[in-house]
Amino acid sequence: MDYELMKKLSEADGVSSQEGAVAKLLAAEFRKKGLKTEIDNFGNVLAYKSIGKNPLMLGAHMDEIGLMVKHIDEKGFIRFIKIGGIDDRTLINQQVTISTGNGMVAGVIGSKPPHIMKEEERKAAVEAKGLFIDVGATDRKEAEELGVEIGNTVTFNTQFRRMGKKMFSGKALDNRLGCYVLAKLAEGLPANVVLMGTSQEEVSTFGKGAKTASFRLDPRAFVAVDTTVAGDHPEVKPEEAPIYLGKGPAIALLEAGGRGNVADRGLAGKTIRIAKRNKIKFQLEVFDGGATDAASVHNVKSGIPSIAVCIPTRYIHSTVSVAHEDDVWAETMLLKGMLKEF
Ligand SMILES: [Zn+2]
């Protein structure tokens, strides 16, 4: 695994609608492999060798969950809103980075120390709207001089690290893992296939950028290259999330209890056959809780056969997540198999 690239992708900041840094990285990887690239009106990065009628489209969303500056008080403390589905409990005392016109500003999410908490405060649920960011300013003017403005996006300052023999942790693995896989598919990409880094997946029930791009390209089929919830750790019962790290990508048959993509049966059958024939490990997933870009593409125009192939990832939609390199490899191999046969 190319850990240098994975680290760069994980540590790049790209809260939904501000995916520029990730788009730049990804476009550079595509061009290195001789592909043509373009960035469309919606911020999606498209890469292809050549494009004809009804191409095959593979999309990985580039955006990550994060925060946005809502208000700066007289003392220079910042209130924020959440962008995307974040568990409020994971926010307390995180180190964060605010992207401003003056560059990156360091901050921490503050909280009341336990020494001075009342019993009921200690037991109360954490709510994002009760939290604030401290940027080390003494008043509002100083915060503004640092460059902080209403509307700045905020990311978690999580370092990328390798763990154990084959695992790694970092921020935004949902879905920089998918971006990484697309970069690996660029080499020897067949004609009439579009690789696409999509924008704004995390801020809608379903992806926004994938929808606009599929409307334009009218693909004959769409594959969402994404991540999914792995439940192979304490405090999750096997029946709640029966997807495991190291056992291969999850082929999603149904998302969000059917409100998301219901995988095209022909496409699902073909994907499974390709995995079996190439002896690539895979898992089948039926998911009640979340959806992918496939949810926003499958019912565009007169319908586009769509499927999501997802890398199992622990602790997604928090400030840090964990994945396994064998799954990244298996996902890449499965998609390569699909490219060859479609
Ligand atoms: Zn995702």
Side-chain angles (χ1 to χ4, degrees):
M1 180 148 178
D2 179 354
Y3 276 105
E4 206 179 312
L5 175 61
M6 192 61 238
K7 177 181 160 71
K8 270 196 248 168
L9 284 165
S10 169
E11 291 182 355
D13 291 318
V15 174
S16 310
S17 85
Q18 303 296 317
E19 298 96 350
V22 186
K24 218 170 133 187
L25 252 169
L26 203 49
E29 290 299 316
F30 289 145
R31 280 195 296 268
K32 265 191 227 167
K33 299 293 183 299
L35 300 184
K36 294 186 192 90
T37 62
E38 57 175 286
I39 294 183
D40 72 11
N41 286 342
F42 212 77
N44 300 305
V45 178
L46 282 69
Y48 45 84
K49 197 164 119 197
S50 64
I51 207 169
K53 211 172 167 251
N54 306 120
L56 173 65
M57 189 165 100
L58 278 73
H61 71 85
M62 300 183 290
D63 61 321
E64 67 186 287
I65 54 164
L67 313 172
M68 188 174 273
V69 174
K70 184 187 178 192
H71 176 254
I72 309 167
D73 75 14
E74 320 82 75
K75 290 183 175 158
F77 293 105
I78 293 156
R79 297 287 180 165
F80 56 83
I81 63 154
K82 297 190 290 177
I83 308 279
I86 305 178
D87 182 349
D88 293 17
R89 293 170 308 158
T90 66
L91 295 173
I92 282 202
N93 301 128
Q94 291 296 320
Q95 293 190 311
V96 296
T97 304
I98 306 179
S99 301
T100 78
N102 283 356
M104 300 301 190
V105 170
V108 299
I109 299 182
S111 69
K112 195 168 178 178
H115 317 69
I116 51 171
M117 269 190 191
K118 294 194 193 83
E119 186 61 24
E120 60 266 29
E121 283 179 310
R122 229 173 275 139
K123 283 186 189 151
V126 174
E127 278 194 275
K129 63 177 192 289
L131 301 174
F132 58 87
I133 300 170
D134 179 348
V135 287
T138 50
D139 56 21
R140 183 192 284 142
K141 191 164 163 277
E142 204 177 307
E144 285 169 351
E145 279 165 7
L146 288 170
V148 181
E149 287 179 308
I150 310 298
N152 287 156
T153 53
V154 183
T155 50
F156 305 109
N157 186 26
T158 308
Q159 251 180 50
F160 183 84
R161 300 199 296 183
R162 294 184 62 177
M163 302 195 333
K165 285 186 182 142
K166 289 186 162 188
M167 297 193 198
F168 50 93
S169 68
K171 84 162 170 67
L173 295 187
D174 174 13
N175 183 29
R176 303 297 156 65
L177 284 167
C179 295
Y180 174 93
V181 169
L182 287 196
K184 292 298 150 196
L185 294 175
E187 182 128 40
L189 190 74
N192 211 21
V193 176
V194 179
L195 301 178
M196 188 169 67
T198 68
S199 68
Q200 297 189 45
E201 192 267 357
E202 299 286 8
V203 284
S204 165
T205 317
F206 315 126
K208 295 192 211 170
K211 185 170 217 83
T212 59
S214 58
F215 193 86
R216 176 184 150 207
L217 293 170
D218 202 6
R220 65 178 186 280
F222 175 69
V223 183
V225 184
D226 207 330
T227 57
T228 191
V229 174
D232 57 345
H233 55 79
E235 300 301 314
V236 181
K237 293 191 200 89
E239 63 269 29
E240 284 180 293
I243 296 292
Y244 305 85
L245 256 61
K247 292 198 173 178
I251 298 171
L253 298 178
L254 184 133
E255 305 171 350
R259 299 178 304 283
N261 182 46
V262 179
D264 177 86
R265 285 283 153 166
L267 193 54
K270 210 166 170 182
T271 307
I272 292 166
R273 279 197 297 280
I274 291 167
K276 284 185 176 162
R277 200 178 320 125
N278 292 290
K279 300 194 166 52
I280 299 163
K281 279 196 240 175
F282 68 94
Q283 311 178 63
L284 289 179
E285 180 167 45
V286 168
F287 201 38
D288 209 12
T292 69
D293 272 339
S296 60
V297 173
H298 75 294
N299 57 358
V300 164
K301 290 192 173 173
S302 57
I304 296 166
S306 298
I307 195 162
V309 184
C310 300
I311 297 172
T313 309
R314 292 176 184 160
Y315 329 123
I316 58 175
H317 286 221
S318 76
T319 57
V320 64
S321 39
V322 171
H324 193 297
E325 64 174 41
D326 285 355
D327 296 325
V328 181
W329 183 83
E331 168 115 354
T332 312
M333 288 301 119
L334 176 55
L335 294 171
K336 276 196 173 160
M338 290 167 82
L339 287 181
K340 214 183 276 170
E341 294 210 22
F342 281 26

